[in-house]
């Protein structure tokens, strides 16, 4: 099967694969306005940090098509729309990164609204293309860390579905396979939204990758059996000191990996690094609907009225991370320094 397209642009419309309906059916949602784009992010029809960023970029292009007036009116209209898109999900920094990139392109481009619309669309298309290129580089660097054969544990979905294509953590898996290595993936189910069960297994099975679905609570036992060579996950935001926000449960995996002497890698593009956030303590953590825990497939699985805490992400302290696999190379601790070097344009190998 051809690799799945997470999103694409056609005839002034954005088409987004509805991930809430996977793995049962493949249905694309059409976004005709920036509000549609905001809605697909908010409702997690699209999810995964780079994919959210790309949808936000095209959302702003849709907003540009809906906005007129002279240059000043047009630019201030865009700022308001960007603010609405930014409010959809708080943790993944790629959202802010993509919106700021489009806004600054608009500010730096001379011309009227019609000129700017053309340039903004080209910029959104570039974001999409560059994300795939970044993921391929992440894959190539990450492959160097993968033994043959390899048993790889991952959490959530950091694959083609979470990006513009190829994936970050699953990009490492893909690159290792392309290099001819024998790879077996263990996919945590990833309660409560089930990205691992619904998406990672589906994405890998479509390409014939050997994958085993695990309840989240199995990871420690699996590691104790010495059945895991490495853990690789994605990231929603990497702070300046290398602390990583990623899907809830990632921190527990990192602690387990350390206890069992297993390397713990985080794969992320530079667009996920946030130099403006000093440490993980400052990363805003999204809390989602209690219904994700009290109900399963629409049926109650907890007593009515029970108190619920449902953070969607956690923070893994930099000390538990063996290396950050980025599109500018494999970063080793101390991350504060290696991150500063790559953000300054350097390359780490
Ligand atoms: O809530 P989600 O599904 O958007 O969370 C996704 C993750 O936590 C991913 O691991 C992360 O965004 C990296 S995707 C390349």
């Amino acid at each position: 099967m051809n690799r799945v397209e997470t999103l694409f642009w056609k005839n002034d419309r954005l088409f987004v694969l509805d991930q809430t309906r996977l793995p049962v059916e493949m249905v694309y949602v059409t976004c005709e306005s920036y509000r549609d784009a905001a809605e697909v992010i908010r409702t997690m029809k699209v999810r995964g940090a780079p994919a959210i960023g790309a949808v936000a970029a095209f959302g702003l292009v849709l907003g540009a098509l809906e906005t007129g007036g002279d240059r000043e009116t047009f630019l201030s209209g865009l700022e308001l729309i960007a603010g609405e898109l930014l409010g959809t999900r708080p943790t993944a920094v790629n959202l802010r990164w993509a919106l700021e990139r489009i806004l600054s392109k608009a500010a730096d481009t001379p011309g009227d609204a019609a000129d700017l619309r053309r340039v903004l669309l080209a910029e959104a298309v570039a974001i999409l293309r560059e994300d795939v290129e970044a993921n391929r580089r992440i894959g190539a660097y990450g492959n160097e860390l993968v033994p043959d054969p390899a048993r790889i544990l991952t959490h959530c979905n950091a694959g083609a579905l979470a990006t513009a294509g190829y994936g970050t953590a699953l990009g490492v898996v893909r690159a290792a396979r392309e290099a001819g290595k024998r790879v077996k993936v263990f996919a945590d189910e990833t309660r409560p939204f089930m990205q691992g069960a619904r998406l990672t297994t589906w994405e890998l099975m479509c390409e014939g990758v050997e994958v085993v679905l695990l309840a989240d609570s199995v990871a420690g036992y699996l590691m104790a059996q010495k059945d895991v060579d490495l853990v690789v996950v994605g990231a929603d935001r990497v702070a300046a000191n290398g602390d990583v926000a990623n899907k809830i449960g990632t921190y527990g995996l990192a602690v387990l990996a350390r206890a069992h002497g297993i390397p713990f890698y985080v794969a992320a593009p530079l667009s996920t690094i946030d130099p403006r956030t000093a440490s993980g303590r400052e990363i805003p953590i999204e809390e989602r609907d209690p219904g994700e825990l009290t109900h399963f497939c629409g049926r109650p699985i907890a007593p009515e009225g029970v108190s619920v805490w449902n953070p969607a992400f956690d923070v893994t302290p930099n000390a538990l991370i063996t290396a950050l696999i980025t599109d500018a190379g494999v970063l080793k601790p101390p991350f504060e320094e290696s991150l500063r070097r790559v953000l300054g344009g350097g390359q780490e190998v």
Side-chain angles (χ1 to χ4, degrees):
M1 187 191 136
N2 283 337
R3 276 187 190 129
V4 56
E5 243 180 325
T6 309
L7 62 140
F8 62 92
W9 178 265
K10 198 174 168 193
N11 299 335
D12 287 350
R13 300 277 181 273
L14 177 65
F15 295 84
V16 177
L17 179 62
D18 184 350
Q19 299 189 28
T20 61
R21 293 166 82 159
L22 289 173
V24 179
E25 52 189 356
M26 268 184 85
V27 176
Y28 281 86
V29 181
T30 311
C31 298
E32 301 189 353
S33 68
Y34 79 86
R35 289 204 166 89
D36 293 342
E39 193 57 14
V40 293
I41 298 173
R42 195 177 294 111
T43 54
M44 289 178 67
K45 290 184 171 62
V46 67
R47 30 65 50 201
I52 291 171
V55 168
F58 283 105
L60 202 44
V61 173
L62 286 168
L65 293 173
E66 296 168 71
T67 308
D70 62 20
R71 185 183 160 85
E72 287 318 304
T73 315
F74 178 77
L75 287 177
S76 52
L78 274 193
E79 296 259 2
L80 288 175
I81 292 168
E84 276 191 51
L85 287 161
L86 186 62
T88 51
R89 293 195 76 190
T91 303
V93 76
N94 302 63
L95 179 59
R96 187 188 79 200
W97 172 88
L99 290 169
E100 287 182 352
R101 181 165 157 177
I102 298 282
L103 283 179
S104 78
K105 190 75 189 176
D108 293 348
T109 306
D112 62 12
D115 300 321
L116 293 186
R117 283 190 203 109
R118 270 192 299 279
V119 172
L120 299 192
L121 175 57
E123 193 69 6
V125 170
I127 286 176
L128 205 61
R129 189 192 60 242
E130 288 169 23
D131 188 53
V132 182
E133 291 164 1
N135 291 339
R136 287 197 171 269
R137 284 197 293 278
I138 288 171
Y141 288 122
N143 173 43
E144 301 295 321
L145 304 168
V146 177
D148 181 21
R151 295 154 308 171
I152 301 177
L153 177 61
T154 192
H155 191 64
C156 193
N157 172 269
L161 290 167
T163 61
Y166 203 72
T168 56
L170 296 191
V172 173
V173 170
R174 287 196 164 95
R177 290 235 319 159
E178 285 161 17
K181 293 180 183 170
R182 290 152 293 168
V183 176
K184 176 176 182 174
V185 175
F186 291 101
D188 281 350
E189 61 177 346
T190 317
R191 289 277 298 149
F193 211 73
M194 313 307 276
Q195 289 95 329
R198 292 188 298 105
L199 308 175
T200 296
T201 54
W202 180 80
E203 183 177 325
L204 293 177
M205 286 173 77
C206 284
E207 290 177 29
V209 182
E210 185 180 358
V211 56
V212 179
L213 173 63
L214 303 176
D216 292 334
S217 45
V218 175
Y221 183 53
L222 183 78
M223 291 185 194
Q225 306 284 311
K226 305 205 184 324
D227 277 344
V228 181
D229 298 302
L230 61 103
V231 181
V232 62
V233 297
D236 286 85
R237 191 185 299 222
V238 180
N241 70 346
D243 291 349
V244 166
N246 191 50
K247 180 53 54 193
I248 191 74
T250 301
Y251 169 51
L253 272 190
V255 172
L256 283 170
R258 174 58 55 92
H260 292 90
I262 295 168
F264 184 89
Y265 299 116
V266 175
L270 297 184
S271 55
T272 303
I273 298 165
D274 180 11
R276 285 186 246 164
T277 299
S279 78
R281 272 192 307 278
E282 288 125 70
I283 299 178
I285 298 295
E286 176 182 11
E287 293 190 19
R288 293 194 60 86
D289 183 357
E292 289 181 358
L293 283 168
T294 57
H295 288 69
F296 196 76
C297 295
R299 292 185 50 168
I301 53 166
E304 203 177 328
V306 68
S307 295
V308 171
W309 185 41
N310 185 19
F313 301 96
D314 59 26
V315 175
T316 300
N318 57 19
L320 294 175
I321 298 167
T322 310
L324 297 169
I325 308 169
T326 75
D327 43 322
V330 175
L331 277 53
K332 301 267 171 52
F335 294 118
E336 190 127 25
E337 289 166 27
S338 46
L339 283 167
R340 203 179 304 121
R341 278 196 298 272
V342 290
L343 288 176
Q347 201 80 10
E348 304 272 308
V349 183

